[in-house]
Amino acid sequence: MPGLQHAITIAASPERVWEVLVDVERWPERIPTVDSVERLDDGPLAVGSSARLRQPKLPEAVWTVTELTRGMSYTWESKSPGVLGVASHVVEPHPDGARLTLALSVSGPLSGLGWLFTKGLTRRYVETEAASIKSVAEAAD
């Protein structure tokens, strides 16, 4: 199954990193790889929550939370014809603060071809997203 994983150490508490990570409505102002986020429900992120994301050079996608351990991790999925994308976000304590791990996998009959064309862009986006979350979490709000 095609995919990637990227981990980064953040000099902030795991609670602070989690707070930034799950505030998906503020991603467009914090993460340059996200043009817009529209929550399709209200309240804190929870299993079943959905959001419509628009990112440069990628088709608009609706992501739905399928697993969530508050303060630690969440996974969400996006389905499009022939492709299922699964993205996980994990925050763990680290001696220097917190460790954030972002991972993405794709499956389905068209995933191999799609991955061939988007792997480089996706890798840059995931790395930029992690660096942006680090920057915001380490800064005083």
Side-chain angles (χ1 to χ4, degrees):
M1 181 178 337
L4 59 85
Q5 180 174 304
H6 180 72
I8 191 168
T9 302
I10 301 175
S13 70
E15 295 80 14
R16 173 66 179 146
V17 175
W18 178 256
E19 175 186 294
V20 173
L21 182 64
V22 297
D23 192 359
V24 297
E25 292 164 304
R26 291 189 67 190
W27 283 8
E29 68 188 72
R30 294 173 162 173
I31 303 173
T33 60
V34 179
D35 287 335
S36 69
V37 174
E38 175 191 359
R39 281 287 304 273
L40 303 178
D41 49 62
D42 296 319
L45 213 56
V47 171
S49 293
S50 293
R52 183 182 326 276
L53 267 74
R54 290 181 184 88
Q55 296 182 272
K57 302 179 184 178
L58 292 175
E60 177 182 289
V62 173
W63 290 87
T64 301
V65 177
T66 56
E67 297 176 33
L68 185 139
T69 302
R70 194 149 312 282
M72 296 177 55
S73 66
Y74 74 93
T75 299
W76 61 6
E77 297 181 352
S78 179
K79 297 176 183 175
S80 61
V83 179
L84 171 65
V86 178
S88 66
H89 313 74
V90 178
V91 179
E92 301 170 291
H94 185 276
D96 295 325
R99 183 148 184 94
L100 172 65
T101 303
L102 302 177
L104 175 72
S105 63
V106 293
S107 61
L110 299 178
S111 62
L113 183 61
W115 188 248
L116 181 66
F117 290 107
T118 62
K119 180 180 179 181
L121 177 68
T122 302
R123 179 173 306 283
R124 285 190 304 278
Y125 279 14
V126 168
E127 290 171 357
T128 299
E129 289 160 13
S132 298
I133 291 166
K134 174 182 172 73
S135 177
V136 172
E138 291 179 347
D141 251 357

